[in-house]
Amino acid sequence: MSRYLLILGCSQKKNPSPLPMKAMDRYTGVNFGVIKKFSAERPFPPTIDICIISAQYGFLHPDDLIQDYDLRMTPQRARELHGDILTGLRSFTSRRHYREIFVNLGKDYLPAVEGFEDLVTCPVQYAGGRIGEKMSAMKQWLHHIALVSKDQTTLERFISQT
């Protein structure tokens, strides 16, 4: 089964709980809202992996426990994190073969992943435009992958039954 990777930037809006939380639960910005709404409407495709680029923590898995913080990504901070983030992405992507990667990052985050597409052999699609346009592109991508994943699962079941 083909796998897909979604790379997101953290969000300024966060759950303010003083307790450590999973990164996916801590961030409450619009892109995380799209993913949570998508997941509430249908099962989230098991073929999609997510990683998060954080101004505070660098490379994160959705289940990583993090504290609340207030640090904005700047181009300088992105450059400081660049090496560690590329190391995290290289390690993460070397464990699985991805068919496609979708990157939804703001302009200040891009220096943190510069050169990333040279580490992988699959297409890397960057969301463009304003935040609403990026959010819409991500939503369309999620729907597309959900359909493809469903078809692949059905095909695999068909093959295994014959």
Side-chain angles (χ1 to χ4, degrees):
M1 185 179 295
S2 295
R3 298 207 58 83
Y4 302 87
L5 177 60
L6 173 61
I7 301 174
L8 290 173
C10 65
S11 66
Q12 183 177 358
K13 288 187 173 184
K14 297 173 188 69
N15 181 321
S17 170
L19 301 174
M21 299 180 76
K22 290 181 179 181
M24 199 67 190
D25 296 330
R26 175 69 68 191
Y27 300 115
T28 60
V30 294
N31 292 318
F32 293 90
V34 166
I35 292 170
K36 291 169 187 170
K37 183 175 185 226
F38 183 87
S39 297
E41 294 171 351
R42 71 195 50 75
F44 195 80
T47 57
I48 298 177
D49 294 323
I50 298 174
C51 60
I52 302 164
I53 306 302
S54 163
Q56 176 72 31
Y57 296 99
F59 178 85
L60 289 171
H61 298 274
D63 291 336
D64 287 345
L65 295 177
I66 61 171
Q67 296 285 342
D68 188 22
Y69 67 92
D70 184 19
L71 180 64
R72 185 173 176 86
M73 184 65 85
T74 64
Q76 179 180 342
R77 180 68 179 148
R79 286 188 296 276
E80 290 169 7
L81 295 170
H82 179 257
D84 289 340
I85 288 173
L86 283 190
T87 298
L89 287 168
R90 181 182 300 115
S91 174
F92 193 77
T93 57
S94 69
R95 290 183 242 147
R96 294 197 165 137
H97 175 73
Y98 289 103
R99 181 174 183 151
E100 185 177 305
I101 298 172
F102 188 89
V103 180
N104 188 353
L105 296 173
K107 66 178 174 145
D108 289 341
Y109 288 75
L110 292 175
V113 297
E114 187 175 338
F116 165 67
E117 54 281 337
D118 297 333
L119 303 176
V120 296
T121 57
C122 67
V124 178
Q125 178 182 344
Y126 287 86
R130 294 177 176 219
I131 191 164
E133 293 167 316
K134 290 178 182 182
M135 181 182 61
S136 177
M138 182 182 74
K139 189 175 181 180
Q140 288 175 1
W141 185 81
L142 288 169
H143 283 282
H144 170 72
I145 300 307
L147 289 173
V148 170
S149 297
K150 183 177 178 185
D151 291 344
Q152 289 176 346
T153 302
T154 304
L155 179 59
E156 285 180 3
R157 284 188 193 149
F158 173 75
I159 292 170
S160 68
Q161 293 172 355
T162 58

